[in-house]
Every structure is written in C-alpha cells, then in structure tokens.
Amino acid sequence: MKLEVDTMKPAINRLKRAQGQLNAVIRMLEEGSDCRAVVTQLSAASKAIDRAGFSIIATGLEECLKGDDPTADRADMEKLFLSLA
C-alpha cells in the first residue's frame, strides 16, 4: 500500500519540526548548553517523531479498512504499530 502525499502532510510537517529540534540539540551540545534544556529539546523531538509515526500508521490502517488491499495484513499492521511503542 502506498501512502498519498496529501494525506501525509501533517506527518511530514511533524518530521520537519523534529528535524529542526534535532539540529537544535546538536547545536546545543556543541555549545555546551544546560543539560535540562538539551533534554527538553530532545524530548520534544522524540515526541514529534513518535506522533508522526502514529499518524502514518493510523492513515495506513484507515486506508486498509476503506479498500480491499490484498496485501493488507492485520498482523503486519499490528507489528508496525508496536514498533513505535
């Protein structure tokens, strides 16, 4: 099953935000920033990545339920979902 670019826009935006946050973490580490600030920024990036992943999987599940995709396998979708846990 292929994902449609238009339906993935929110996930793409989250991943771009996470990319910026990761760049900030690297910069903060290189500059010797406060540990709490670094961890806070890293946590935000991690959450953004997780939410993007959940959004992608939810969209995939929705598409599988709508159509009769012969390649859609419940066990595979469950495995994907659990890989983010």
Side-chain angles (χ1 to χ4, degrees), residues 4-18 48 51-53 55-56 59:
E4 295 295 324
V5 175
D6 291 339
T7 59
M8 289 293 101
K9 286 291 185 189
I12 292 168
N13 290 338
R14 280 192 178 111
L15 291 171
K16 286 181 180 181
R17 188 176 321 122
R51 288 181 181 170
S55 173
I56 291 165
T59 301

Side-chain angles (χ1 to χ4, degrees), residues 68-82:
D68 294 324
D69 185 351
T71 64
D73 179 47
R74 184 178 191 269
D76 286 341
M77 295 305 279
E78 184 175 335
K79 186 177 178 181
L80 280 173
F81 187 79
L82 291 174

Side-chain angles (χ1 to χ4, degrees), residues 11 25 28 30-32 48 64-65 75 78 85:
V25 168
M28 293 168 78
E30 291 173 342
E31 295 171 354
C64 287
L65 291 174
E78 184 175 335

